[in-house]
Each structure stands twice: as structure tokens, then as C-alpha cells.
Amino acid sequence: MQTELSKKLGVEHALFGFTPFPAVAAAISRAGGFGVLGAVRYADPDELKRDLDWIETHVDGMPYGLDVVMPAKKVEGVTEADVEAMIPEGHRQYVRDTLAKYAVPELDEGEASGWRITGWMEQVARTQLDVAFDYPIKLLANALGSPPADVIERAHEKGVLVAALAGSARHARKHADAGIDIVVAQGYEGGGHTGEIASMVLTPEVVEAVAPLPVLAAGGIGSGQQMAAALTLGAQGVWLGSIWLTTTEADMHSRALTRKLLAAGSGDTVRSRALTGKPARQLRTEWTDAWDDPNGPGTLPMPLQGLLVAEAVSRIQKHEVEPLLGTPVGQIVGRMNSERGVQEVVDDLTRGFEEAVDRLERIAGRSHA
């Protein structure tokens, strides 16, 4: 599964795997794909350094990248405390009432929230980059679109390619104009932040809009046949995220959550602002229902919502309160029926890709079998 882009990056398969877990990122790269570590949860740059050190020693010299979350426009002089002060008391009370309804225990005294998504704030992402550029990363991806111009310039000076996610052809053209190198066409079916357009429609639109820039197809892809379809639509590779959540290398810290993922069907997700303030596809739970309830206060814009619910999500996860327990995941969750190693997943993907290509060649009368 070689494309011009995969050859440029020195990987065997044009298969890019986004994951918050260092062990999964390293395993994807070792298996011939391109592992991309999600940095948003690293509020402490020392923790990011520790995990990048680990990847360096476990990636067997294969290339890997980093995914950050930062806005294109810089906001000066805004601290986390300033943002916290913007959260209305009524929303804080709604969180307390919802947790009380399900008898969610408190964190231990002095225990910090383990799900503090301050990575949505630009200054945190910049400290992550200060760490990351000391490592031989080959790709920097930004989940909020084009990063600031100085970040793109800095990455290019380091020889690092820059990718940006887009949910429409219009967004993709803006990324191309900003000087990014790769557009990730993120379809409606994908986990996490998504737009309104499905992958089958979005991918060729983006390919046409930004040609000759390479495009990666994302959203609802979890089989080799779907990867083949993406390449026939003009993509130079695929960007996979959800499929890795139930791999044996994934450190979910919750058997209950893994069970929910394995049991979920493709209709058991919802695009909700409950987690971050922007529409993000995730497991539908009684937590997402509470925030989508018209009788509730509604969600706050990013990054207020993420800061508001950070401790609550940590409490739900730590104590495995199943009705409220969820995670970002795409509609491909319906295919995630068993726990498998990353290598087995990659083998299955590439085998399915080869079968799909062979089938197309037979249809076209070009088979040599």
C-alpha cells in the first residue's frame, strides 16, 4: 500500500494511526504504518518528554509524528485562570447535580484531575511543541485546522511536514493557502471533532480542492476495503483513530469502557458538544444525553466546556460509572468486536486492501490470476 506520500515519509503502508497511547503509536510504526501520538492530554511537558523518550526506544527507528490542538489565531495574555472565571456558576451546579444523580464518588483528597484538557489552550500546545521539536518527529498534525503561521514555519525549518484536519473543501483550501503539506479529510463518521459531510462525499471534494497536495481520508475507516475505496477517491493514505482503542496495547485504564466499546454498534455514537464545546463524535451515554437535554443549561464554547467537565470526567472514569462512561469514537466502533494486537489489526487491514484491489482488477478484466 505505497503512495507518493508514504514513500516520502519512509513507511511501508500509507496508513496513519492517531492514538493517545504511546505504546499504540510505536506499534503502528513498527507494523509498517505511521504512528501519530495525540498530545492534547499532556498538560505537563515533562510527561510528554517521558513518553516521547519511550517511543524513541520502542519504535525501532521507524518514523512517527505528533498531533496537537491549537487555533490558527493567537490570543495574547489569556491564562487558564482567566478562562476558568468565564464559566457560569449555573453550569458548575449542573455538573454537581448530574454527578450526584448517579452517585459518582469524589476524587481522593489532593488528587488532581487526570483528564485536564488544557491542551485546547494555545500556550499549552506551544510548550508541547517546544518538547516535540527536540525529537525526530516527521509529521505535526493539528486537529483544529491550520496551526499559527509561525508554527508552520518552525516545523518546516525542522524538516517536519504539517497536516491539518478539514471537514469541508472550503476549510481544506484555507489550509492549503496557509502553507500546510497534508490535508486530512475528516468525515462525519469519524470519532472526535467532525464536520457535517460524510467521507465518501468529502474525500474527492477535498482532493480536487487542494490538488496537488496529498490528502488522507479519515472517518469511518476500519477495513482494508475502505482503505482501497479511499485511495480510489484520490486520497494518498488513510488516517485511522478509533480502531486502535480496543487493541491490546491501548491503555484504557477501564475494563468497563473497553467492554462498552466492544459491545457498541455503529449506531451507538452521537455528535455532541458535551466533551469539549465543539461537536465531537463519541459513545452515546447518559452523560451526553444530559448535556443534549433541552431542559439543561446547554454546553459552553471551547475551551470552557472542557475545563468545566474535566474533573467530572476523571471521576466518572476512575470509578467506572458505566451509565456515564464514554469516549470519543467513530461509527466504525461497530467493527471493533474483539481485542487484538496492533500488528494483527494492520495485517487484517492490508490483507483486506489486497483483496479489494484484486477484486477491482478482476472487474476491470486485468487480473493475472
Side-chain angles (χ1 to χ4, degrees):
M1 188 176 164
Q2 283 277 305
T3 66
E4 184 180 343
L5 179 60
S6 66
K7 293 175 183 176
K8 184 175 183 177
L9 287 167
V11 294
E12 182 180 359
H13 307 300
L15 185 165
F16 295 72
F18 165 81
T19 174
F21 307 116
V24 175
I28 292 168
S29 291
R30 289 198 307 271
F34 189 100
V36 181
L37 178 66
V40 71
R41 66 190 181 93
Y42 293 97
D44 183 349
D46 289 337
E47 293 182 4
L48 178 59
K49 184 179 186 306
R50 176 202 64 202
D51 283 355
L52 288 175
D53 283 339
W54 189 93
I55 289 176
E56 271 293 296
T57 60
H58 290 82
V59 81
D60 293 350
M62 302 305 293
Y64 62 94
L66 191 75
D67 179 279
V68 297
V69 178
M70 61 193 314
K73 295 181 180 178
K74 187 172 183 177
V75 179
E76 299 283 359
V78 178
T79 67
E80 183 179 336
D82 295 331
V83 176
E84 287 271 12
M86 300 177 191
I87 298 175
E89 177 56 31
H91 282 73
R92 295 187 186 277
Q93 187 60 49
Y94 189 70
V95 170
R96 290 192 287 266
D97 291 345
T98 304
L99 295 177
K101 177 181 177 181
Y102 293 90
V104 181
E106 299 276 355
L107 296 176
D108 294 337
E109 186 175 352
E111 183 179 0
S113 167
W115 201 85
R116 192 70 175 167
I117 52 172
T118 52
W120 304 123
M121 300 181 68
E122 182 186 346
Q123 63 266 33
V124 177
R126 286 184 177 275
T127 63
Q128 294 166 348
L129 293 179
D130 289 339
V131 171
F133 283 136
D134 286 336
Y135 291 82
I137 62 171
K138 299 299 183 184
L139 176 71
L140 173 66
N142 187 34
L144 284 184
S146 303
D150 67 295
V151 172
I152 297 174
E153 181 180 358
R154 187 179 176 191
H156 287 165
E157 288 174 351
K158 295 278 188 178
V160 176
L161 298 181
V162 179
L165 273 67
S168 71
R170 179 174 60 86
H171 292 154
R173 281 190 289 268
K174 287 185 177 180
H175 299 340
D177 291 342
I180 62 94
D181 306 289
I182 302 165
V183 175
V184 181
Q186 169 82 333
Y188 171 86
E189 310 95 322
H193 297 119
T194 67
E196 303 280 352
I197 305 172
S199 299
M200 183 64 75
V201 175
L202 179 65
T203 300
E205 286 186 350
V206 171
V207 168
E208 182 178 346
V210 302
L213 283 184
V215 172
L216 299 177
I221 301 173
S223 73
Q225 291 80 2
Q226 290 169 313
M227 295 197 307
L231 268 62
T232 62
L233 293 174
Q236 286 202 31
V238 293
W239 179 274
L240 310 179
S242 298
I243 198 73
W244 316 111
L245 291 174
T246 52
T247 57
T248 54
E249 292 90 344
D251 188 9
M252 292 293 287
H253 297 297
S254 173
R255 292 304 304 170
L257 181 53
T258 298
R259 287 195 301 271
K260 289 186 76 170
L261 287 169
L262 294 173
S266 56
D268 292 327
T269 68
V270 63
R271 281 176 79 243
S272 171
R273 298 177 184 267
L275 201 58
T276 69
K278 283 184 176 290
R281 186 170 297 283
Q282 54 203 281
L283 277 182
R284 182 174 181 175
T285 66
E286 293 183 33
W287 178 255
T288 61
D289 287 349
W291 285 103
D292 294 336
D293 187 341
N295 294 319
T299 56
L300 297 170
M302 180 186 281
L304 301 182
Q305 182 71 15
L307 293 172
L308 170 67
V309 304
E311 181 180 327
V313 172
S314 287
R315 288 167 59 183
I316 292 165
Q317 291 179 344
K318 176 181 178 179
H319 298 290
E320 297 193 320
V321 183
E322 291 207 31
L324 305 178
L325 190 62
T327 186
V329 68
Q331 292 179 331
I332 199 64
V333 70
R335 293 185 62 93
M336 295 156 52
N337 304 317
S338 63
E339 292 182 79
R340 299 180 293 166
V342 166
Q343 182 69 62
E344 184 180 352
V345 172
V346 172
D347 288 345
D348 183 58
L349 290 168
T350 55
R351 183 167 51 249
F353 174 81
E354 291 170 357
E355 291 171 356
V357 171
D358 286 345
R359 184 163 58 248
L360 288 174
E361 289 184 338
R362 287 196 299 273
I363 291 170
R366 298 172 185 168
S367 175
H368 300 292

